[in-house]
Amino acid sequence: MLDSKIPEGTLADKWDNYKEHVKLVNPANRKKLDVIVVGTGLAGASCAASLGELGYNVKSFCFQDSPRRAHSVAAQGGVNAAKNYKNDGDSVFRMFSDTIKGGDFRSREANVYRLAECSANLIDQAVAQGVPFAREYGGYLNNRSFGGVQVSRTFYARGQTGQQLLLGAYQALMRQVGANKVKTYTRHEMLDLVVVDGKAKGIITRDLVTGEIERHAANAVVLASGGYGKVYYLSTLAMGCNSSAIWRAHKKGAYMSGVSWIQFHPTCLPQSGEHQSKLTLMSESLRNDGRIWVPKKAHDDRKPNDIPEEERDYYLERRYPTFGNLAPRDISSRAAKERVDAGCGVGVMKNAVFLDFSKAIKEQGKEKIKEKYSNLFKMYDKINAVNAYETPMLISPAAHFTMGGLWVDYELMTTIPGLFALGEANFADHGANRLGANSLLQASVDGYFIAPYSIPNYLAGELKAEKITTDHVAFAEAEHAVKEQLQQFLNINGHLSADHFHKTLGKLLYDGCGLSRTKASLEKAIVLIRQLRAQFYTELKITGDHTVNSELEKAGRVADYLDLGILMCEDALSREESCGAHFREEYQTADGEALRNDKDFCYVSAWEWKGAHAEHELHKEPLIFENVSLTVRSYK
C-alpha cells in the first residue's frame, strides 16, 4: 500500500506541522553523513548547496562539463510566486487552486499547496542571490501572466529566467565546494543505483572522459536528473537529456508514476525537415502580447501579411474567450494540432501556426515590445532570418516537459527508502498538465525548502546504522551488471546507430502516444516498440571502445527509452479517460474537450518493475480532494 505521508492538520497548516515535528541531526553528527546528489540543475544544485550549508558531506554529479550546463538554463519565461504585487486578487490559495485545476485534478492537494506556500520565499531567496528579475520604473519587481491563470504572478528575467536562477544556485553550490562540503563530479553519468537491505546506499557511475566505472557510497541518494521528454527525439530538450538515472532506479524498485503525462509546449519553432535533432523553445511569455491564428481557408499559401483580418482564424480567442491566447499549454497545443490536421497549417511543412505581434506593436509601440522580448526576437531572427516585428512568427507544439516521473511521498522520497527524487524527476506537483512558470518553481522549492527538512528527517534514523562502503557485495554486483551491459552493446556489432533507433522510437511515440492517443494507436505502438527493442539488441552498431565514446553513452540511454516508451503507452492505455495532457480521443466532450472519469481514475498510477520479461504491476494512490471541488476544467 502506497503511503504518501501527508501530515495532519488543515491544508494551510500541514507544511508547518511537518516542519515542527521532523527529526533533526545535530551539527556534529551531520559531518558523519554523506549524501549523493545526481544532477546540477535548479533542483540538484539548490539541494546540494543547502545540504552542504547544513554541514553534510555532499557529492554532486552531472554528465555536463560544468554544473552551469544543466538544462534548467534553457527555461525562458519566468517563475511563479503568489506575492500579489499587482494587487489583482492573487493569493496562496488561488495559486494552489489554479495549479490543481491546471493539472486537471490529478495531483495531491497537500503537495500543491506547499508549492504555492513556498513560492514567495523563493523570490526572496533569488533576489538575495542577485538574480536580476525585471523591475518596474520605480524599482519594484515586475510580473506578467502565463497560461491558465487570470492574475500576474510570474517573475522573470527577460527570456533568460532559468539561466539567471541557475547561476544563483550555482554560486551557492560553488560556495560549498570552496568550503569543502560539496565535491563535484562533472562528466560523470549515473548508470545504476546500489541498494543494500532495501535502502539506497550509493550509485555506479561512468567517467565520460576516461570510460572508468566508479563506485560511490552514501547514506542517501537524491535524483534531480530532470525529465524524459527526449524520449520523443524531437523535443525542446538538449540532446544529452535522458531518463537513465530514474529508469535505472525504477528497475531497482522505485515506482514510476503518471508516465504518459507528457506536456507539448505550444510555442516552439516547427520542424523544418528530417535533418533536425531537436526543436527550439520560444517562451510562453510571448503569448501575453502575441496573437495566435491560422488562415480560415485550408491550404492557403499566401504570405501572412497578405491575408486580411477577416480571413484569419484567431482560434484560441474564438474557442476560449475568457483566457484567449493564454489558455493552458495542453489545450493550446491540441487546438493547434486540430487546425493543422484540418489543413490550415502554415510553413514549409504545413505544421505550424502564426504568432502575430502586429496589434501589440500598434498599441504599445515597437520599443515597448523590444523591451519585453528583444532577446527572443533576436533568437528567432538568428534561426529563421525573419524579422518578427514585421512578419508573424511560425510556432508549433513540441514535446517539452514530463509531469510523470518517480513516485514520491510528501517527503519527496521514492518507494526505496533513502532515495529521493526532486524537480522534474518526480511526479509530485503538476498532475496531468503543468502550468507555465511552475517548473522553475518546483525545482527550486524542492531543493531549497523541502529537501533540507525531509532528507535530514530520514538521515536521523541512519546514524546508528552500519556504515556501508563501496567494498560491499552490492556495489560489486551493480558494477558487474553495468560493465556487462556496456560490453553487450559493443558486442552486438550490427549496422544501425543508436540515433536511428532513437529517431524511430520518437516517431512511433509521436504517432501513437503524442498530443492525442487512441486505444488502437497505443496498442499498435506497443507492438512496434517491442519489435524495435528486439531489433536494437541484434542490429545496434557501436563504433569505438570503452573509453571516450558518445555512441556508447547514447546506446545506454536509448535502451532505457525503449523500455520507458512501452510503459508510457501501457500507462496511457490503462487510463480510459482524458485528463490534462493525456487526451484519449475516445473520451472527449461534444465540443472536443478532455472528458475525465473521476469515478474510476481519480488516482495516481504507480508502476512497479517486475523484471525484463514481465509485465509491470500497477499500484494506485487514490486522490482525495477536500479543499477544491472536482469540476469540469473549463477555460472558455
Side-chain angles (χ1 to χ4, degrees):
M1 184 70 178
L2 294 169
D3 181 7
S4 55
K5 299 180 185 175
I6 304 298
E8 296 295 324
T10 64
L11 186 64
D13 292 332
K14 289 183 185 296
W15 179 230
D16 285 339
N17 288 346
Y18 176 84
K19 290 187 290 183
E20 288 167 3
H21 294 93
V22 291
K23 298 173 185 174
L24 302 177
V25 179
N26 77 48
N29 283 333
R30 294 172 198 168
K31 301 173 184 177
K32 305 174 186 177
L33 296 167
D34 306 317
V35 180
I36 285 171
V37 180
V38 180
T40 57
L42 267 177
S46 60
C47 177
S50 299
L51 293 177
E53 186 78 42
L54 286 170
Y56 297 97
N57 305 309
V58 181
K59 289 183 177 182
S60 171
F61 293 84
C62 67
F63 65 78
Q64 297 93 345
D65 54 5
S66 165
R68 290 178 298 172
R69 297 287 295 275
H71 197 61
S72 298
V73 76
Q76 297 172 349
V79 56
N80 288 330
K83 278 186 167 288
N84 196 30
Y85 279 178
K86 294 289 187 181
N87 197 29
D88 55 0
D90 202 9
S91 65
V92 169
F93 188 85
R94 187 176 294 276
M95 182 174 175
F96 153 76
S97 178
D98 286 343
T99 305
I100 285 282
K101 177 184 175 183
D104 218 350
F105 304 92
R106 291 295 177 262
S107 52
R108 292 190 201 119
E109 283 191 336
N111 287 64
V112 175
Y113 191 89
R114 178 177 61 184
L115 179 73
E117 185 179 0
C118 293
S119 64
N121 292 337
L122 172 62
I123 302 305
D124 298 338
Q125 166 91 3
V127 170
Q129 290 175 334
V131 173
F133 286 126
R135 294 179 180 268
E136 295 175 338
Y137 180 77
Y140 295 104
L141 294 178
N142 203 356
N143 296 118
R144 58 190 177 197
S145 295
F146 260 52
V149 303
Q150 293 179 302
V151 297
S152 296
R153 68 165 65 106
T154 305
F155 294 77
Y156 62 98
R158 300 185 79 177
Q160 307 169 351
T161 315
Q163 179 182 7
Q164 299 303 329
L165 285 170
L166 184 60
L167 288 174
Y170 172 73
Q171 69 184 16
L173 175 68
M174 296 312 292
R175 179 173 179 271
Q176 296 308 313
V177 171
N180 294 318
K181 295 308 299 177
V182 175
K183 184 174 182 181
T184 57
Y185 293 81
T186 58
R187 302 295 289 141
H188 279 68
E189 182 171 23
M190 172 185 159
L191 293 184
D192 207 355
L193 177 74
V194 179
V195 178
V196 178
D197 297 329
K199 296 181 179 180
K201 290 295 181 181
I203 61 173
I204 304 297
T205 65
R206 180 170 179 267
D207 185 325
L208 300 183
V209 176
T210 66
E212 183 180 354
I213 304 300
E214 301 174 0
R215 306 177 184 182
H216 297 273
N219 300 95
V221 177
V222 179
L223 299 186
S225 52
Y228 49 88
K230 197 62 187 172
V231 68
Y232 286 93
Y233 189 74
L234 285 177
S235 77
T236 63
L237 280 72
M239 287 301 293
C241 293
N242 63 85
S243 66
S244 290
I246 61 173
W247 191 255
R248 305 292 170 95
H250 172 57
K251 292 169 76 171
K252 283 298 181 75
Y255 294 1
M256 287 285 289
S257 187
V259 196
S260 62
W261 292 342
I262 313 291
Q263 181 172 90
F264 285 74
H265 199 295
T267 44
C268 304
L269 300 188
Q271 182 183 1
S272 58
E274 293 298 321
H275 61 283
Q276 285 175 269
S277 58
K278 78 177 297 294
L279 300 173
T280 302
L281 171 68
M282 297 300 290
S283 171
E284 179 169 315
S285 62
L286 293 169
R287 293 200 277 149
N288 273 276
D289 291 301
R291 302 177 72 198
I292 297 173
W293 63 276
V294 293
K296 287 183 177 179
K297 185 176 70 173
H299 313 297
D300 192 332
D301 292 325
R302 287 177 292 176
K303 293 180 180 179
N305 291 339
D306 293 337
I307 300 176
E309 192 72 14
E310 63 272 14
E311 295 181 33
R312 300 180 178 189
D313 179 12
Y314 295 91
Y315 57 87
L316 288 178
E317 297 175 18
R318 169 173 56 83
R319 292 181 61 178
Y320 309 101
T322 303
F323 286 76
N325 295 294
L326 282 175
R329 291 178 178 179
D330 58 325
I331 287 172
S332 299
S333 291
R334 283 198 297 272
K337 181 180 185 295
E338 187 274 329
R339 289 290 79 203
V340 169
D341 291 347
C344 296
V346 296
V348 176
M349 298 181 68
K350 302 298 182 186
N351 60 345
V353 299
F354 291 123
L355 181 61
D356 193 333
F357 291 86
S358 58
K359 183 180 180 183
I361 291 172
K362 184 178 179 181
E363 293 176 350
Q364 303 174 41
K366 183 177 177 180
E367 290 307 311
K368 188 64 177 178
I369 299 302
K370 270 189 175 181
E371 181 184 318
K372 296 179 182 179
Y373 314 114
S374 62
N375 63 316
L376 297 169
F377 277 65
K378 285 177 183 175
M379 183 171 75
Y380 187 85
D381 193 3
K382 186 174 182 179
I383 294 171
N384 296 288
V386 172
N387 182 348
Y389 294 106
E390 299 174 358
T391 303
M393 291 182 179
L394 291 176
I395 59 168
S396 180
H400 176 63
F401 185 90
T402 49
M403 283 73 69
L406 291 175
W407 184 92
V408 293
D409 59 23
Y410 189 75
E411 298 183 296
L412 305 184
M413 188 155 68
T414 69
T415 48
I416 300 176
L419 177 67
F420 296 81
L422 275 56
E424 197 177 349
N426 71 36
F427 87 99
D429 295 339
H430 307 296
N433 173 64
R434 176 176 66 79
L435 291 184
N438 269 354
S439 175
L440 293 178
L441 175 64
Q442 184 213 354
S444 300
V445 164
D446 284 0
Y448 283 127
F449 304 121
I450 301 175
Y453 283 96
S454 64
I455 294 175
N457 185 52
Y458 169 78
L459 291 174
E462 294 298 298
L463 280 167
K464 297 179 181 178
E466 178 190 357
K467 185 79 170 179
I468 302 297
T469 70
T470 55
D471 294 328
H472 193 281
V473 64
F475 280 88
E477 291 172 353
E479 180 182 338
H480 174 74
V482 164
K483 288 180 175 178
E484 195 173 53
Q485 185 193 49
L486 294 174
Q487 190 59 52
Q488 178 189 16
F489 294 149
L490 290 166
N491 290 345
I492 293 173
N493 200 28
H495 64 282
L496 296 173
S497 69
D499 278 337
H500 165 82
F501 291 100
H502 192 179
K503 188 178 290 189
T504 305
L505 172 64
K507 183 70 166 60
L508 292 175
L509 287 173
Y510 260 115
D511 292 344
C513 190
L515 267 168
S516 61
R517 308 94 187 264
T518 65
K519 183 175 186 289
S521 75
L522 291 164
E523 289 175 340
K524 178 180 179 182
I526 290 170
V527 171
L528 293 176
I529 295 171
R530 283 179 172 155
Q531 292 173 358
L532 185 68
R533 183 176 61 180
Q535 185 187 24
F536 174 85
Y537 285 101
T538 58
E539 298 187 34
L540 174 69
K541 175 67 176 180
I542 300 295
T543 55
D545 55 22
H546 284 286
T547 57
V548 183
N549 192 340
S550 61
E551 289 303 306
L552 188 57
E553 296 164 27
K554 290 179 189 175
R557 297 167 188 171
V558 173
D560 294 333
Y561 279 147
L562 288 164
D563 289 339
L564 172 62
I566 293 171
L567 182 58
M568 285 169 56
C569 294
E570 290 176 341
D571 183 56
L573 189 61
S574 70
R575 190 170 282 274
E576 296 179 341
E577 65 164 354
S578 291
C579 59
H582 169 64
F583 190 76
R584 285 280 298 267
E585 293 180 14
E586 305 98 315
Y587 308 102
Q588 56 181 301
T589 63
D591 53 354
E593 302 297 338
L595 184 62
R596 288 199 325 267
N597 178 351
D598 295 327
K599 178 177 178 292
D600 298 316
F601 295 97
C602 193
Y603 63 79
V604 170
S605 62
W607 296 92
E608 180 183 1
W609 173 268
K610 304 298 285 187
H613 304 293
E615 296 292 325
H616 276 80
E617 182 179 349
L618 174 61
H619 303 268
K620 300 175 182 180
E621 179 198 339
L623 291 170
I624 299 170
F625 294 94
E626 299 174 334
N627 300 276
V628 294
S629 300
L630 282 164
T631 58
V632 175
R633 179 174 174 250
S634 174
Y635 293 92
K636 293 183 179 296

